[in-house]
mmCIF file of all heavy atoms in Angstrom:
data_model
loop_
_atom_site.group_PDB
_atom_site.id
_atom_site.type_symbol
_atom_site.label_atom_id
_atom_site.label_comp_id
_atom_site.label_asym_id
_atom_site.label_seq_id
_atom_site.Cartn_x
_atom_site.Cartn_y
_atom_site.Cartn_z
ATOM 1 N N GLU A 125 115.913 149.927 -94.594
ATOM 2 C CA GLU A 125 116.283 149.347 -93.292
ATOM 3 C C GLU A 125 115.251 148.091 -93.024
ATOM 4 O O GLU A 125 115.775 147.093 -92.422
ATOM 5 C CB GLU A 125 115.961 150.349 -92.166
ATOM 6 C CG GLU A 125 117.021 151.514 -92.106
ATOM 7 C CD GLU A 125 116.596 152.674 -92.976
ATOM 8 O OE1 GLU A 125 115.650 152.567 -93.853
ATOM 9 O OE2 GLU A 125 117.101 153.814 -92.831
ATOM 10 N N ASN A 126 114.000 148.219 -93.339
ATOM 11 C CA ASN A 126 113.076 147.078 -93.156
ATOM 12 C C ASN A 126 113.415 145.937 -94.088
ATOM 13 O O ASN A 126 113.121 144.766 -93.700
ATOM 14 C CB ASN A 126 111.648 147.665 -93.242
ATOM 15 C CG ASN A 126 111.245 148.497 -92.123
ATOM 16 O OD1 ASN A 126 111.894 148.565 -91.089
ATOM 17 N ND2 ASN A 126 110.445 149.407 -92.365
ATOM 18 N N LYS A 127 113.901 146.206 -95.260
ATOM 19 C CA LYS A 127 114.275 145.115 -96.091
ATOM 20 C C LYS A 127 115.427 144.362 -95.638
ATOM 21 O O LYS A 127 115.504 143.197 -95.670
ATOM 22 C CB LYS A 127 114.628 145.673 -97.615
ATOM 23 C CG LYS A 127 114.885 144.647 -98.533
ATOM 24 C CD LYS A 127 115.189 145.236 -99.971
ATOM 25 C CE LYS A 127 115.413 144.298 -101.003
ATOM 26 N NZ LYS A 127 116.739 143.740 -100.903
ATOM 27 N N ALA A 128 116.430 145.098 -95.065
ATOM 28 C CA ALA A 128 117.451 144.447 -94.473
ATOM 29 C C ALA A 128 117.143 143.632 -93.231
ATOM 30 O O ALA A 128 117.673 142.575 -92.942
ATOM 31 C CB ALA A 128 118.592 145.566 -94.024
ATOM 32 N N GLU A 129 116.195 144.095 -92.479
ATOM 33 C CA GLU A 129 115.641 143.298 -91.344
ATOM 34 C C GLU A 129 115.022 142.041 -91.763
ATOM 35 O O GLU A 129 115.209 140.944 -91.129
ATOM 36 C CB GLU A 129 114.619 144.163 -90.460
ATOM 37 C CG GLU A 129 113.909 143.444 -89.431
ATOM 38 C CD GLU A 129 114.853 143.062 -88.284
ATOM 39 O OE1 GLU A 129 116.012 143.371 -88.350
ATOM 40 O OE2 GLU A 129 114.305 142.646 -87.292
ATOM 41 N N ASP A 130 114.201 142.054 -92.822
ATOM 42 C CA ASP A 130 113.602 140.847 -93.399
ATOM 43 C C ASP A 130 114.750 139.879 -93.835
ATOM 44 O O ASP A 130 114.629 138.627 -93.445
ATOM 45 C CB ASP A 130 112.690 141.134 -94.681
ATOM 46 C CG ASP A 130 111.423 141.663 -94.325
ATOM 47 O OD1 ASP A 130 110.943 141.551 -93.070
ATOM 48 O OD2 ASP A 130 110.807 142.219 -95.302
ATOM 49 N N GLU A 131 115.730 140.320 -94.493
ATOM 50 C CA GLU A 131 116.861 139.389 -94.917
ATOM 51 C C GLU A 131 117.558 138.971 -93.700
ATOM 52 O O GLU A 131 117.935 137.719 -93.649
ATOM 53 C CB GLU A 131 117.770 140.256 -95.767
ATOM 54 C CG GLU A 131 117.152 140.649 -97.101
ATOM 55 C CD GLU A 131 117.991 141.613 -97.855
ATOM 56 O OE1 GLU A 131 118.980 142.121 -97.373
ATOM 57 O OE2 GLU A 131 117.641 141.947 -99.174
ATOM 58 N N ARG A 132 117.718 139.741 -92.659
ATOM 59 C CA ARG A 132 118.468 139.206 -91.400
ATOM 60 C C ARG A 132 117.659 138.081 -90.757
ATOM 61 O O ARG A 132 118.261 136.977 -90.504
ATOM 62 C CB ARG A 132 118.773 140.328 -90.443
ATOM 63 C CG ARG A 132 119.402 139.946 -89.185
ATOM 64 C CD ARG A 132 119.380 141.056 -88.180
ATOM 65 N NE ARG A 132 118.092 141.203 -87.617
ATOM 66 C CZ ARG A 132 117.666 140.579 -86.486
ATOM 67 N NH1 ARG A 132 118.271 139.459 -86.154
ATOM 68 N NH2 ARG A 132 116.386 140.774 -86.137
ATOM 69 N N CYS A 133 116.344 138.183 -90.646
ATOM 70 C CA CYS A 133 115.600 137.307 -90.031
ATOM 71 C C CYS A 133 115.410 135.983 -90.908
ATOM 72 O O CYS A 133 115.442 134.796 -90.296
ATOM 73 C CB CYS A 133 114.184 137.830 -89.800
ATOM 74 S SG CYS A 133 114.101 139.107 -88.495
ATOM 75 N N ILE A 134 115.352 136.012 -92.197
ATOM 76 C CA ILE A 134 115.303 134.897 -93.006
ATOM 77 C C ILE A 134 116.596 134.093 -92.933
ATOM 78 O O ILE A 134 116.637 132.917 -92.867
ATOM 79 C CB ILE A 134 114.921 135.233 -94.426
ATOM 80 C CG1 ILE A 134 113.400 135.735 -94.611
ATOM 81 C CG2 ILE A 134 115.209 134.018 -95.349
ATOM 82 C CD1 ILE A 134 112.444 134.733 -94.205
ATOM 83 N N ALA A 135 117.697 134.816 -92.948
ATOM 84 C CA ALA A 135 119.032 134.225 -92.842
ATOM 85 C C ALA A 135 119.170 133.370 -91.516
ATOM 86 O O ALA A 135 119.680 132.393 -91.469
ATOM 87 C CB ALA A 135 120.217 135.249 -92.877
ATOM 88 N N LYS A 136 118.543 134.069 -90.418
ATOM 89 C CA LYS A 136 118.597 133.395 -89.037
ATOM 90 C C LYS A 136 117.690 132.066 -89.073
ATOM 91 O O LYS A 136 118.149 131.082 -88.581
ATOM 92 C CB LYS A 136 117.993 134.217 -88.034
ATOM 93 C CG LYS A 136 118.171 133.807 -86.597
ATOM 94 C CD LYS A 136 119.633 133.483 -86.284
ATOM 95 C CE LYS A 136 119.743 133.084 -84.703
ATOM 96 N NZ LYS A 136 121.097 132.753 -84.410
ATOM 97 N N VAL A 137 116.587 132.131 -89.828
ATOM 98 C CA VAL A 137 115.791 130.955 -89.968
ATOM 99 C C VAL A 137 116.529 129.788 -90.637
ATOM 100 O O VAL A 137 116.524 128.716 -90.082
ATOM 101 C CB VAL A 137 114.511 131.182 -90.785
ATOM 102 C CG1 VAL A 137 113.760 129.935 -91.247
ATOM 103 C CG2 VAL A 137 113.602 132.106 -89.988
ATOM 104 N N GLU A 138 117.161 130.165 -91.846
ATOM 105 C CA GLU A 138 117.973 129.081 -92.492
ATOM 106 C C GLU A 138 119.202 128.629 -91.629
ATOM 107 O O GLU A 138 119.385 127.356 -91.642
ATOM 108 C CB GLU A 138 118.598 129.737 -93.890
ATOM 109 C CG GLU A 138 119.107 128.730 -94.693
ATOM 110 C CD GLU A 138 118.821 129.123 -96.205
ATOM 111 O OE1 GLU A 138 118.593 130.218 -96.530
ATOM 112 O OE2 GLU A 138 118.802 128.082 -97.015
ATOM 113 N N GLU A 139 119.832 129.527 -90.918
ATOM 114 C CA GLU A 139 120.906 129.009 -90.124
ATOM 115 C C GLU A 139 120.379 128.061 -89.028
ATOM 116 O O GLU A 139 121.079 127.102 -88.814
ATOM 117 C CB GLU A 139 121.481 130.386 -89.406
ATOM 118 C CG GLU A 139 122.640 130.098 -88.404
ATOM 119 C CD GLU A 139 123.116 131.329 -87.757
ATOM 120 O OE1 GLU A 139 123.095 132.439 -88.431
ATOM 121 O OE2 GLU A 139 123.290 131.353 -86.467
ATOM 122 N N LEU A 140 119.340 128.447 -88.359
ATOM 123 C CA LEU A 140 118.841 127.422 -87.407
ATOM 124 C C LEU A 140 118.326 126.113 -87.934
ATOM 125 O O LEU A 140 118.574 125.072 -87.340
ATOM 126 C CB LEU A 140 117.606 128.154 -86.637
ATOM 127 C CG LEU A 140 118.036 129.268 -85.738
ATOM 128 C CD1 LEU A 140 116.806 130.138 -85.300
ATOM 129 C CD2 LEU A 140 118.702 128.656 -84.416
ATOM 130 N N ILE A 141 117.720 126.080 -89.175
ATOM 131 C CA ILE A 141 117.322 124.827 -89.784
ATOM 132 C C ILE A 141 118.582 123.948 -89.917
ATOM 133 O O ILE A 141 118.615 122.740 -89.593
ATOM 134 C CB ILE A 141 116.541 125.190 -91.137
ATOM 135 C CG1 ILE A 141 115.284 125.855 -90.749
ATOM 136 C CG2 ILE A 141 116.456 123.905 -91.817
ATOM 137 C CD1 ILE A 141 114.520 126.259 -92.041
ATOM 138 N N VAL A 142 119.676 124.582 -90.370
ATOM 139 C CA VAL A 142 120.998 123.833 -90.696
ATOM 140 C C VAL A 142 121.473 123.415 -89.392
ATOM 141 O O VAL A 142 121.866 122.196 -89.178
ATOM 142 C CB VAL A 142 121.940 124.699 -91.479
ATOM 143 C CG1 VAL A 142 123.218 123.987 -91.566
ATOM 144 C CG2 VAL A 142 121.415 124.928 -92.909
ATOM 145 N N GLU A 143 121.468 124.275 -88.376
ATOM 146 C CA GLU A 143 122.068 123.833 -87.149
ATOM 147 C C GLU A 143 121.387 122.831 -86.411
ATOM 148 O O GLU A 143 121.829 121.807 -85.873
ATOM 149 C CB GLU A 143 122.024 125.095 -86.135
ATOM 150 C CG GLU A 143 122.527 124.887 -84.812
ATOM 151 C CD GLU A 143 122.224 126.113 -83.824
ATOM 152 O OE1 GLU A 143 122.236 127.348 -84.347
ATOM 153 O OE2 GLU A 143 122.086 125.946 -82.618
ATOM 154 N N TYR A 144 120.092 122.813 -86.460
ATOM 155 C CA TYR A 144 119.211 121.749 -85.762
ATOM 156 C C TYR A 144 119.228 120.448 -86.551
ATOM 157 O O TYR A 144 119.116 119.399 -85.943
ATOM 158 C CB TYR A 144 117.845 122.212 -85.418
ATOM 159 C CG TYR A 144 117.736 122.955 -84.196
ATOM 160 C CD1 TYR A 144 118.301 124.139 -83.911
ATOM 161 C CD2 TYR A 144 117.316 122.347 -82.996
ATOM 162 C CE1 TYR A 144 118.354 124.808 -82.699
ATOM 163 C CE2 TYR A 144 117.174 122.928 -81.830
ATOM 164 C CZ TYR A 144 117.706 124.239 -81.584
ATOM 165 O OH TYR A 144 117.755 124.838 -80.324
#
Side-chain angles (χ1 to χ4, degrees):
E125 292 87 348
N126 292 336
K127 182 175 185 292
E129 175 68 352
D130 280 345
E131 292 170 351
R132 182 188 71 82
C133 292
I134 292 296
K136 186 63 177 177
V137 168
E138 190 144 24
E139 176 187 318
L140 285 166
I141 292 174
V142 172
E143 177 187 334
Y144 272 73

